[in-house]
Structure formats: C-alpha cells, structure tokens
Amino acid sequence: MELHLVIHDYAPQPPVNTFVDLTSLPPGSIGWMHQAFNNPDGKNWDGVVQAADVIVDVRDVAELHSRALYTEEAGGERFILTGNLFHWQDAWDALNIEPKLPGAPVGTPGAGKRVKHRLQYSNKKSKETFGFEYRSSEETIRDSWAEFLKRGWIESIKV
C-alpha cells in the first residue's frame, strides 16, 4: 500500500514556494510496521526492518509538506524530516505504558535505550523554520498499533 500526497488547486491563496525539497530519511513504509507488528520477535524480518533506527509520524511529514508551501524561508531549502532515534524495543515499551494496548509484545523492556545508533539525524532546521514539534515515538507507535488493531492488520489478534 502506498500513500500519496495530493495538493488540490483550491488553496485559499497561492503558495509562496514553487519548489521545496523535503526528504524523510530513511524512507519508510507501512509495510515495515506491518512486518514488525506481526513478527515482534524479529524472526524473518528483512534487513530494512532490522536496521530501522529513526521514526517519523506520517502526519508530521504531511503537515510539514503543507507548511513548506506557505513558508517563504523554506523556498529552495532542503529539510530532513525525522522524529526520534528508535529501536523496535522502544515500540514494545511504548505499547506497554498504561493503559497497555491489547496484544502488545513485551520483548526485553528498556533494551532499546542501550542501543548504539549507527547514524544521527538532525531535524533542528525543520523545527526552527516551521516552528514545529514532532510527535513522540510513543504517540506514533501507540496510534499506529491502535489503527492496525482496528483494521484487523495484526494477524495474531482479532478484536
């Protein structure tokens, strides 16, 4: 499943920027989350899922794309849109914060905090240019898990 951002021509005023390059690093997909949520022990994950070390909420990416169209300072600039450093154990820990979400894997609580991340990304420029605060990893993971449950996408749990 791919999601595409469509900007309609009924904006209240013309955008200030004709070109803004926004990049989300590393590119992610709902497929990664589906694979991790349905195989929380990490067995049979492909290398991309295993290597995931940052997370950004798609709602934040959409909001920043929209803001870029109306923020003059963004014209001709490049931005890294990334939330927080991340390890899958952090996801399982987030799901087990009260109130715990149904079927949440446990793993080894706290182990994600001890992981050395291979790369560091800075979202300082996007935060300052757009006056923006990214959602927390916990909010992104909990909201995603709840949505997956609602849609019946977590194969081991039928709600």
Side-chain angles (χ1 to χ4, degrees), residues 6 10-11 17-19 24 33 39 42 56 64 66-68 97 100 102 106 108 122 126 131 136 142 144 146 151 159:
V6 178
Y10 54 81
N17 297 310
T18 55
F19 175 78
S24 302
M33 201 167 276
N39 300 290
V56 64
L64 287 167
S66 177
R67 287 187 188 194
I97 295 169
K100 292 182 182 185
V106 176
T108 306
S122 174
S126 60
S136 70
R142 290 179 67 83
S144 298
R151 293 175 181 269
V159 178

Side-chain angles (χ1 to χ4, degrees), residues 67-83:
R67 287 187 188 194
L69 294 171
Y70 295 96
T71 305
E72 194 163 353
E73 298 80 31
E77 295 291 324
R78 293 175 182 240
F79 297 92
I80 296 175
L81 306 183
T82 185

